[in-house]
Amino acid sequence: MNIRHLTFRLLQVYIAVVRSGSISQAAAQLHLTQPTVSQQIKRLSEAVGEGLLELREGGYQPTFVGRELFNAAQDALSRFEDFNSFLSDATLGTRGHFSLGIVTTAKYVLPRLLSPYAQQYPGVDVTLNIGNRGSVLQRFHNQLDDLYLFSYPPTGDHVISGRLLRNPLVVIAPRHHWATQRSEVSFAELLDERFLMREPGSATRMLFENWLREQNLQLHKTLQIESNEAIRLSVETGLGLAVLSEHTLTQMGDSVAQLPVKGFPLQGHWYLVRHSHRRLPVAARHFIEFVNTHLGEWVDEKYLSNQLQVLLDTSSI
């Protein structure tokens, strides 16, 4: 490979094409013409001496060599971003940026972690990308963010995760539901109730359905609703019952009640996750260290289950 012919711009163009799978989308993102992007990719392939992209499944995918170049390009550009952060630190104080991809339910948890961090590090910019589990998983596979918050982390060789907080799942009902007058309710007594469910692939739904299978139980009536807020409002109006994260109850006031169902809460956890191929910016490492040190000061003891060191131990420097 003729390294003299490599430039940051060539690597930026290549990363954009691999992430989008499209010459035209990469051109739009970079404000370039499609012929310019195609020419840049050709120049990069000639400099490497190997083909880097191939058409598969309706889009451009990296070849075996191209995948390694993509990882190296991301690492190289990330290192210079760190250098830029260092220059800012030297002249303006602590500066930096990192991005977080979080599932929608995590918005009830993350502010309690980010708020004290932001107060201590006001010069660090944090970008939040919020979506359902499917969209955040896609962001993870495309390595679009530095860190992710999942209640059911992805699996695979490139997943590095640390358990952060307990995430109990509870059964909620309208405030005046008959079961609120009981000291304990068996789930079998609720099978004829309508249950409001998140979309397939939701971590809350997966954990709940796994529990139902283990108990050899089957719901008789369900209705799919793709947001916690809509589920809360629907439960409040008497449309049905639901199983949601206990963390969400802090936003629900007195309009709904947590039912004393035997076997509940179901014990889940929140996990902080990173992709092993994406090098952590300095700011993201500081955030992990800060949370690792101070988590117990911000969060009720019953939710605490912190194992984040693995995210730092496996980071390439």
Side-chain angles (χ1 to χ4, degrees):
M1 179 175 71
N2 193 337
I3 295 179
R4 291 181 304 164
H5 292 164
L6 295 182
T7 66
F8 284 155
R9 191 55 170 169
L10 287 178
L11 297 180
Q12 288 172 336
V13 169
Y14 180 63
I15 287 173
V17 172
V18 172
R19 286 178 172 173
S20 65
S22 165
I23 296 290
S24 59
Q25 288 186 34
Q29 292 169 11
L30 298 171
H31 305 289
L32 299 172
T33 65
Q34 292 185 39
T36 298
V37 171
S38 297
Q39 184 62 32
Q40 299 277 51
I41 295 298
K42 180 180 178 182
R43 286 180 54 196
L44 185 60
S45 295
E46 291 172 350
V48 173
E50 295 282 348
L52 302 176
L53 297 170
E54 56 188 0
L55 275 172
R56 296 200 311 267
E57 302 175 354
Y60 284 99
Q61 301 290 328
T63 63
F64 178 73
V65 172
R67 170 56 62 179
E68 289 303 305
L69 177 63
F70 175 74
N71 293 334
Q74 287 200 125
D75 187 59
L77 294 181
S78 177
R79 287 177 182 271
F80 275 91
E81 289 175 0
D82 283 350
F83 177 67
N84 188 52
S85 295
F86 166 79
L87 291 178
S88 296
D89 289 345
T91 56
L92 300 174
T94 302
R95 299 288 180 190
H97 171 267
F98 67 95
S99 62
L100 275 161
I102 68 172
V103 293
T104 51
T105 308
K107 67 185 180 182
Y108 299 106
V109 177
L110 193 62
R112 284 183 287 166
L113 308 182
L114 276 181
S115 179
Y117 174 79
Q119 291 175 20
Q120 184 159 336
Y121 294 96
V124 175
D125 295 324
V126 182
T127 300
L128 292 182
N129 296 293
I130 305 173
N132 62 25
R133 177 178 169 80
S135 65
V136 179
L137 276 175
Q138 191 61 49
R139 294 189 66 85
F140 172 81
H141 291 309
N142 291 335
Q143 304 176 48
L144 298 183
D145 302 294
D146 300 301
L147 294 169
Y148 302 85
L149 193 58
F150 285 102
S151 57
Y152 198 98
T155 58
D157 295 337
H158 305 315
V159 179
I160 303 172
S161 66
R163 196 168 63 192
L164 180 65
L165 298 170
R166 283 188 278 274
N167 183 34
L169 303 184
V170 298
V171 183
I172 63 171
R175 173 58 58 184
H176 301 296
H177 189 273
W178 61 264
T180 61
Q181 307 303 315
R182 301 269 294 275
S183 60
E184 184 176 88
V185 180
S186 71
F187 197 88
E189 296 178 87
L190 303 176
L191 289 178
D192 288 329
E193 302 272 356
R194 179 188 291 111
F195 272 81
L196 312 180
M197 310 283 283
R198 288 292 305 272
E199 71 281 0
S202 158
T204 299
R205 179 166 177 167
M206 287 191 292
L207 289 171
F208 180 33
E209 289 181 336
N210 287 341
W211 181 83
L212 289 171
R213 282 191 292 270
E214 291 171 358
Q215 305 301 314
N216 197 28
L217 296 171
Q218 186 172 357
L219 301 178
H220 298 162
K221 293 180 290 185
T222 62
L223 179 64
Q224 181 175 312
I225 301 177
E226 296 189 2
S227 83
N228 290 320
E229 288 79 5
I231 287 177
R232 175 185 63 80
L233 291 172
S234 299
V235 170
E236 181 181 345
T237 59
L239 184 59
L241 310 185
V243 172
L244 290 179
S245 166
E246 187 176 352
H247 290 289
T248 65
L249 297 185
T250 59
Q251 306 293 320
M252 295 185 180
D254 297 328
S255 58
V256 299
Q258 178 179 333
L259 296 184
V261 179
K262 186 177 181 180
F264 281 77
L266 303 182
Q267 292 304 325
H269 291 86
W270 288 108
Y271 294 83
L272 202 59
V273 178
R274 56 168 290 224
H275 196 292
S276 63
H277 283 171
R278 184 176 175 106
R279 185 175 180 273
L280 283 180
V282 172
R285 292 179 58 82
H286 285 172
F287 174 70
I288 295 170
E289 292 166 349
F290 191 77
V291 171
N292 218 19
T293 303
H294 299 284
L295 183 63
E297 301 173 15
W298 314 324
V299 183
D300 193 303
E301 185 77 18
K302 66 181 178 179
Y303 292 130
L304 187 58
S305 182
N306 186 17
Q307 300 179 3
L308 300 183
Q309 191 62 40
V310 64
L311 294 164
L312 299 172
D313 291 343
T314 52
S315 178
S316 58
I317 299 177

